[in-house]
Amino acid sequence: MNLETQPRRRERLSRSERMADIMRCAGRILRESEDREGIVADIAGRLGIVEGTIYRYFATKRDLIIRVAEEWYEGMLADYDRELAGITGTKARLRFMIWRHLTVMHDEPAMCRLVLDELRADAGYRKTSIYQLNRHYTQRTLAIVKDGIASGELRAEVPLTMVRDMIYGGIEHHCWAYLRGEGRFSPARAADDIVAIVYRGIAAPEDTSALSRLEQVADRLEQITQTHTSNREPSC
Amino acid sequence: MNLETQPRRRERLSRSERMADIMRCAGRILRESEDREGIVADIAGRLGIVEGTIYRYFATKRDLIIRVAEEWYEGMLADYDRELAGITGTKARLRFMIWRHLTVMHDEPAMCRLVLDELRADAGYRKTSIYQLNRHYTQRTLAIVKDGIASGELRAEVPLTMVRDMIYGGIEHHCWAYLRGEGRFSPARAADDIVAIVYRGIAAPEDTSALSRLEQVADRLEQITQTHTSNREPSC
DNA sequence: CGCATTAGTAAGTTCGGTTCATTATTGAGC
DNA sequence: GCTCAATAATGAACCGAACTTACTAATGCG
């Protein structure tokens, strides 16, 4: 009965502060639950503002989510290059890229799921900066493969994009259950397994020059042994 | 002004007929567009019934979609075994499984996208018969790998589930753009590429017994040639 | 032929995202 | 300290789509 008639004091933040506030809160909520229903009302409730306010900052709910994901993803990829610079060798570098990706999946399942299931599934994903970042990123992996080919370590005919598809598709598939909160996985072990298969799959054959040399030698041996041992029985 | 007061003649079908009708119509719509909004109203409109009627047959929109997808998927997988029975050899059998999967993606992009993006992303997918069928199906692929290991053709230490993840994850990744109506791909070529990488990746090393025998022979040759040719110059 | 059964309807409710006309707060210039 | 333009925020709506329910009409079985 006692209606609080006093007009609730309006909290008035600067545009950028409020914006950051909303995004921070949205990020927390997105990490807390995989259910994206009613998120706008939820954010408003937690921040003590009204739903309409959020729409002064983001044109649409989807827009808000994308912005949050983009910011997260950019931070995630920030110091890739620096770390990669410290690693040499095709196999080790490949493994690093794979391991890094697996680790992100492991440490931020909710965000990964958001990107993979929610954003990437929808049309308009290609306009996302996430898509661009991702392209960049996989291309760095392919650059490693290209280097390997140039040096003769890898076969020249490997279908580059398929290597990419198998690596990243394999990673996603491998993490599928984990992203849904079921089961566990070890980034290190998974990286080992993937790189083991892929590297063998794309490596140049074992030095066949050595092999063929041996074959020539064997031929010669047969001639010689025939010449020199034809009158003897095989000794053993 | 001229309201048609005549009560529109009710079309009354048997339960099973109406059910089939709805599912058929839903299937058509799901194939026509990737937009799943308003689908219930759409179906009702096309069939000349009212939305409520649909809810006498399916508890929820999602339920309807799942049923449609399940039916399609079951038909899709029906004669796998028979076809596979006609193929021998680890590599050929693997390639068939991969090619088959790619072909489904190629021929039914809308349905595949529905399953991959819509159904599989959501919780409760595991209760779906699609999930079960899929498990069965990938296990058949792993059975081929196991056979290969048993025969010594493949390495004993290959991590089975990772092979599965790389194959099916790779396929999905490869078809990603195509499923969104962008670009093309060739199931046959893609199958070749995948199987080429995977098979090399998991095959047992080239027969090293032959190699080491050659090495022994080479050693012996060196002894012999030293004995018999030490006083001669190399001829050519 | 009458009545139980069941297909189908009409008119809602709910819920979440989105809009907009209005109100309150702020700070710059006087 | 006062005024006013700029702008943060509100609240009450709208909208579309999924779902519900109390009721109506066709059917077929006895």
Side-chain angles (χ1 to χ4, degrees), chain A residues 113 120-121 125-126 155 159 162 165-166 169-170 173-174 176 182 194 197-198 200-201 211 214 217 221 228, chain B residues 113 120-121 125-126 155 162 165-166 169-170 173-174 176 182 193-194 197-198 200-201 211 217 221 228:
Chain A
R113 203 177 156 191
R120 199 181 55 174
Y125 166 67
R126 295 186 108 108
R155 302 195 336 267
M162 189 57 89
D165 291 332
M166 291 184 65
H173 219 261
H174 187 71
W176 188 83
E182 295 144 7
I194 292 175
I197 296 172
V198 159
R200 277 176 186 261
L211 198 66
L214 280 174
V217 170
L221 175 61
H228 289 273
Chain B
R113 203 176 156 191
R120 200 182 54 173
Y125 167 66
R126 296 187 108 109
R155 303 197 333 269
M162 188 58 87
D165 291 332
M166 292 184 64
H173 220 261
H174 187 71
W176 187 84
E182 295 144 8
D193 288 348
I194 292 175
I197 296 173
V198 159
R200 277 174 186 261
L211 197 68
V217 170
L221 174 61
H228 289 271

Side-chain angles (χ1 to χ4, degrees), chain B residues 42-113:
Chain B
D42 195 359
I43 295 170
R46 295 198 195 193
L47 292 180
I49 58 179
V50 110
E51 289 186 53
T53 300
I54 293 173
Y55 286 93
R56 311 222 138 267
Y57 294 86
F58 300 92
T60 149
K61 169 191 159 190
R62 180 175 180 71
D63 207 60
L64 164 57
I65 291 181
I66 289 179
R67 288 283 197 79
V68 172
E70 282 179 348
E71 201 179 73
W72 166 73
Y73 204 69
E74 280 162 25
M76 208 84 231
L77 260 52
D79 38 17
Y80 248 67
D81 282 320
R82 197 170 42 73
E83 297 181 41
L84 189 59
I87 303 173
T88 55
T90 303
K91 201 167 182 177
R93 286 166 72 83
L94 268 183
R95 185 185 180 287
F96 173 77
M97 293 300 282
I98 294 167
W99 171 83
R100 200 24 156 120
H101 207 74
L102 283 158
T103 300
V104 173
M105 297 271 203
H106 189 270
D107 296 345
E108 288 269 26
M111 276 293 161
C112 287
R113 203 176 156 191

